[in-house]
Amino acid sequence: MVEVNNLTMRFSHQLLFENINLKLDRGKRYGLIGANGAGKTTFLKILAGELEQTGGNISIENGLRVGVLSQNQYAFEDYTLKDAVMYGNKRLYDAVKEKEYLYENGDFSDEKVNDRLAELEMVCADEDPTYEVDVIIEKILATLGFPTDTHNNLMSELTGGDKFKILLAQVLYPRPDVLFLDEPTNNLDLEAISWLEDQLTRHQGTMVVISHDRHFLNSVVTNILDVDFKKIREFTGNYDEWYMAANLISKQQEVDRDKKVKEKEDLEAFVRRFSANASKAKQATSRQKKLEKLDIEDIQTSSRRDPSIVFKAGRDIGNEILELEGIEKNYDDKKVLQNFNLKIEKGDKIALIGANGVGKTTLCNILMNETALDAGKIKWGATIVPSYFPQNATDIISGDSLLFEWLQQYDEKKDLDEIRKCLGRMLFSGEEQKKSVKKLSGGEKHRIMLSKMMLQKGNFLILDEPDNHLDLEAIIALGEGLYKFVGNVICVSHDRELIDAFANRIIELKADGSMIDFRGDYETFRETYGK
C-alpha cells in the first residue's frame, strides 16, 4: 500500500537516515520507535506528505484514503464538535455545508441551484450511503465522554486534552485506508486510551504510529519500525518482542566482533614474533595476508541511551506522613474536590488516576501549596521533605540560564560537581551542559526537572505526568527509579507500564467527586474493578 524507495533525509549537515527501502503492507500496524531526535516524526511527516525528503520517493497506492492526525489543537476553534469530526471527510463536510446553505438561502426557482443540490446529494450518497453520518459521529463523541447536549458546542470551549480527543475522532471517523498517527495517546486519560486501542486494532488498512506508551504499542502494533544507526529496520511483532530480538541481535554482534578481535590479536602477535624468523617466514606471510583480509566491523553506537534515574532521600522518613481532611476546591461553578479525605502511610507509592478534569493536578497543586484550599486541612509529617514535578514543567524551565545554572538554585550546597554528574546521568554530557534551558526540547526539559528532583533529595515525591515527552528508555528508567526509591510517591500518569512499575496503591478520582482507594498493584486493580 505504501512504498519507500531510497529515502534519504538531511538537515543541514545532519544525516537522519539514508537509502531507506520499505514496503508497508495492508493489514499491518507499524510502531515507529527510536530515541528522541532520531527522526521518527520527520519520517512520519515525509510519509504523510507534510515534509519533503532530501532524496528518494514515497508512493501510496492510487485511490486510497489517507488519514493524518493533526497536532494543531486550535485549528477548529469556530467549529462545533460534530462539524470538527465530520471535517475528517472533507468532501462530505463541504457537500453537507453547501447543501445546508442552499436549502436555507437558495432560490429554488433557479435551475442552477436545483442542479447543484442534486450534485451535492450525489456526493453525500457517495460518501455516506446509509445517511448515518450524524448517528456515527454522535456515537463516537459519546464514547469519548462528550454528552449529547455538548455536541453543538464550539471547539473553543474545550480544554486542550478534549480538543485532542476531537482530532482523534476526526481522523478515525472516515475509516481511512492509511493512517499516520504521531503520539495519539498524548493528553488522553486511561479510558480514552483503551477506546483508541480498540479502534486501532480493528483497522484493516496500513497504519504507522509513534508512541512512547509501551503498553499501547504492545496492544496495537503488529510490526516495529526501528529508527537507529541512520537506518529504519523492520521487525515482526510488538514492542516487547522487538526488544528481545534487538537485544539478542546486539549481543550476537558483540560476540562475533569479540571473536574477530581475538583472531586479529593472535595473528598480529604471530606476525610480530616470526616475521624475522626464516623458518617461519612463509607462515608469517600467510598470517599477514589473512590479517589484511580480516574484516572487523565496528559495532555501531546506537542512538538510544538509557538515563540513570536514582532518587535518594536526604532524610529518613518518619511514621507520620500526610493526612488530608475535608479538602474542598471549586472553580467557578465546577466542583472539583468535595470533602476529600486521605491518609498516606509509610511506604505508600500511589498512582493517581482518573479522567481528565477530575482534579488530579488540582490535588497535586494543593499539596504543594500552589493552589489555595476552599476548605479542609493538610497535615504533613514533621520529617517530610516533598519534591515536586509539576504538569507545566516545560513552561517553568525557561530563561537564558545554562543547564547547570538553572539547577544550582535547587542545590543547597551549590555543588557544581554533583550537578554535572547528575546532568551526565540524565544524558547531558560535555558541551550539552552549557546549553541555555530555553533551547531545550520538551523531553530534555522533563529530564532537567527529574535532575532537579534527584538533587533535592526529597523523601516524598509528587509527580504530575512526568512521562510526557520522555522516550521509552527514559520512562522505563523512571519506573525503576520510583520502584527502588525509599520514600513515598504520588504520581499522576496515564502510562500503564509506568504505573505497573512502581505503584502499590491506586487512587482513582471519579467525575462525581467520589474515589476508589485500592491497596495493591495496577493489574490487580484492573481485575478487581473490570478496567
Side-chain angles (χ1 to χ4, degrees):
M1 295 183 81
V2 181
E3 287 198 26
V4 180
N5 297 300
N6 297 319
L7 182 70
T8 297
M9 189 63 190
R10 293 178 181 273
F11 284 114
S12 186
H13 300 296
Q14 181 188 9
L15 175 67
L16 281 184
F17 35 76
E18 63 179 341
N19 299 327
I20 305 301
N21 293 282
L22 294 168
K23 185 177 180 183
L24 308 180
D25 298 323
R26 185 189 304 273
K28 292 183 179 179
R29 302 183 296 273
Y30 299 87
L32 185 59
I33 66 171
N36 286 344
K40 302 186 297 296
T41 294
T42 297
F43 179 63
L44 198 64
K45 285 183 176 180
I46 292 171
L47 289 179
E50 297 177 351
L51 190 64
E52 187 174 351
Q53 63 270 26
T54 305
N57 61 79
I58 306 291
S59 59
I60 298 177
E61 192 178 319
N62 288 335
L64 296 186
R65 179 173 287 170
V66 178
V68 182
L69 176 61
S70 172
Q71 297 294 320
N72 184 0
Q73 298 176 9
Y74 302 98
F76 300 92
E77 293 294 87
D78 296 328
Y79 289 65
T80 66
L81 307 193
K82 286 177 65 175
D83 284 350
V85 175
M86 191 194 300
Y87 193 89
N89 185 335
K90 184 68 163 52
R91 185 167 182 251
L92 176 61
Y93 173 84
D94 288 343
V96 167
K97 291 304 167 184
E98 186 178 351
K99 189 173 68 169
E100 289 176 353
Y101 176 82
L102 289 176
Y103 274 124
E104 186 174 344
N105 302 290
D107 180 1
F108 296 107
S109 63
D110 185 342
E111 192 173 323
K112 290 182 179 179
V113 171
N114 290 302
D115 288 344
R116 182 56 181 162
L117 282 169
E119 291 173 0
L120 294 171
E121 288 291 356
M122 290 179 65
V123 172
C124 291
D126 187 33
E127 296 295 328
D128 181 32
T130 60
Y131 287 90
E132 291 182 318
V133 59
D134 288 332
V135 174
I136 293 170
I137 290 176
E138 286 172 2
K139 184 177 180 180
I140 292 173
L141 289 172
T143 304
L144 284 171
F146 298 100
T148 304
D149 60 0
T150 67
H151 293 180
N152 288 313
N153 290 356
L154 293 179
M155 286 282 286
S156 58
E157 299 175 27
L158 298 182
T159 62
D162 282 344
K163 290 182 201 288
F164 195 75
K165 288 182 182 179
I166 299 296
L167 295 182
L168 268 176
Q170 182 188 86
V171 73
L172 294 177
Y173 148 67
R175 300 191 177 187
D177 304 293
V178 181
L179 260 178
F180 298 129
L181 307 173
D182 189 356
E183 294 287 0
T185 60
N186 275 2
N187 301 306
L188 298 186
D189 53 42
L190 289 166
E191 188 174 343
I193 292 173
S194 295
W195 169 83
L196 178 61
E197 288 175 351
D198 181 61
Q199 295 294 309
L200 296 183
T201 52
R202 297 180 188 181
H203 182 67
Q204 299 298 310
T206 303
M207 182 180 80
V208 181
V209 58
I210 297 173
S211 178
H212 292 151
D213 186 325
R214 181 174 162 187
H215 189 284
F216 173 80
L217 289 174
N218 283 332
S219 300
V220 168
V221 307
T222 61
N223 297 69
I224 292 291
L225 298 176
D226 179 23
V227 185
D228 203 0
F229 306 114
K230 296 179 173 53
K231 298 291 183 183
I232 301 177
R233 298 180 296 174
E234 181 181 347
F235 291 80
T236 299
N238 62 21
Y239 178 81
D240 281 351
E241 290 164 336
W242 162 83
Y243 186 83
M244 288 186 286
N247 276 278
L248 184 63
I249 291 170
S250 178
K251 293 294 183 186
Q252 187 59 52
Q253 286 177 334
E254 288 183 29
V255 169
D256 291 345
R257 184 178 183 276
D258 288 345
K259 286 181 179 178
K260 287 185 178 181
V261 168
K262 180 65 167 60
E263 184 181 358
K264 181 174 182 288
E265 289 174 348
D266 290 344
L267 290 170
E268 288 174 338
F270 186 91
V271 170
R272 282 196 305 270
R273 184 177 177 187
F274 295 109
S275 58
N277 188 323
S279 64
K280 298 286 186 178
K282 285 187 177 181
Q283 287 178 286
T285 302
S286 174
R287 297 287 204 285
Q288 179 64 42
K289 289 179 179 179
K290 188 174 182 180
L291 180 61
E292 290 169 356
K293 292 179 180 179
L294 191 61
D295 179 26
I296 300 177
E297 289 187 7
D298 290 331
I299 293 180
Q300 293 173 290
T301 302
S302 173
S303 57
R304 288 185 177 83
R305 294 183 294 167
D306 297 335
S308 175
I309 301 178
V310 180
F311 300 109
K312 293 182 179 179
R315 180 176 183 177
D316 290 338
I317 203 163
N319 291 321
E320 292 184 0
I321 310 299
L322 174 63
E323 188 169 359
L324 284 68
E325 296 179 355
I327 300 298
E328 295 194 6
K329 182 63 185 178
N330 302 320
Y331 291 103
D332 297 326
D333 296 329
K334 184 178 180 182
K335 295 180 179 180
V336 179
L337 298 171
Q338 293 295 307
N339 194 29
F340 184 83
N341 299 284
L342 179 65
K343 185 174 183 179
I344 296 176
E345 299 175 354
K346 191 172 184 177
D348 282 346
K349 294 183 179 179
I350 297 169
L352 185 61
I353 65 174
N356 291 335
V358 295
K360 303 185 297 295
T361 294
T362 297
L363 180 58
C364 291
N365 285 336
I366 285 172
L367 291 176
M368 295 305 298
N369 202 30
E370 294 191 1
T371 295
L373 286 172
D374 292 336
K377 294 181 180 179
I378 300 175
K379 299 178 181 178
W380 286 98
T383 62
I384 303 303
V385 181
S387 183
Y388 188 32
F389 189 117
Q391 190 182 69
N392 63 337
T394 54
D395 297 327
I396 291 173
I397 301 175
S398 61
D400 296 320
S401 299
L402 304 183
L403 269 59
F404 67 88
E405 291 174 339
W406 191 87
L407 285 173
Q408 276 184 315
Q409 62 186 310
Y410 300 102
D411 180 19
E412 293 180 0
K413 297 179 181 179
K414 307 293 184 190
D415 188 339
L416 187 57
D417 185 55
E418 178 61 25
I419 291 172
R420 291 194 182 280
K421 287 179 181 177
C422 186
L423 284 169
R425 289 195 293 269
M426 294 306 291
L427 309 182
F428 296 102
S429 56
E431 291 300 312
E432 287 183 312
Q433 297 187 5
K434 297 178 182 178
K435 288 170 65 173
S436 169
V437 294
K438 68 181 179 183
K439 294 182 179 179
L440 298 178
S441 67
E444 288 173 327
K445 286 186 176 182
H446 275 222
R447 283 191 273 129
I448 286 293
M449 188 60 73
L450 290 170
S451 300
K452 182 211 79 167
M453 296 185 76
M454 288 192 285
L455 288 168
Q456 285 180 316
K457 294 183 169 57
N459 54 22
F460 194 124
L461 308 181
I462 301 174
L463 307 99
D464 191 356
E465 300 197 35
D467 47 290
N468 283 354
H469 305 292
L470 295 182
D471 58 24
L472 281 158
E473 288 73 27
I475 293 172
I476 292 170
L478 175 59
E480 292 175 353
L482 293 177
Y483 173 74
K484 294 177 180 178
F485 175 61
V486 181
N488 283 85
V489 175
I490 294 177
C491 181
V492 178
S493 178
H494 301 306
D495 188 304
R496 287 153 293 183
E497 293 288 341
L498 176 60
I499 293 171
D500 276 334
F502 78 91
N504 58 22
R505 185 176 178 184
I506 311 296
I507 294 179
E508 180 180 11
L509 302 185
K510 311 286 280 186
D512 61 5
S514 63
M515 75 168 175
I516 297 174
D517 187 354
F518 179 82
R519 290 192 174 275
D521 61 35
Y522 184 62
E523 284 303 311
T524 309
F525 167 81
R526 292 181 66 194
E527 292 170 5
T528 304
Y529 291 95
K531 299 290 184 180

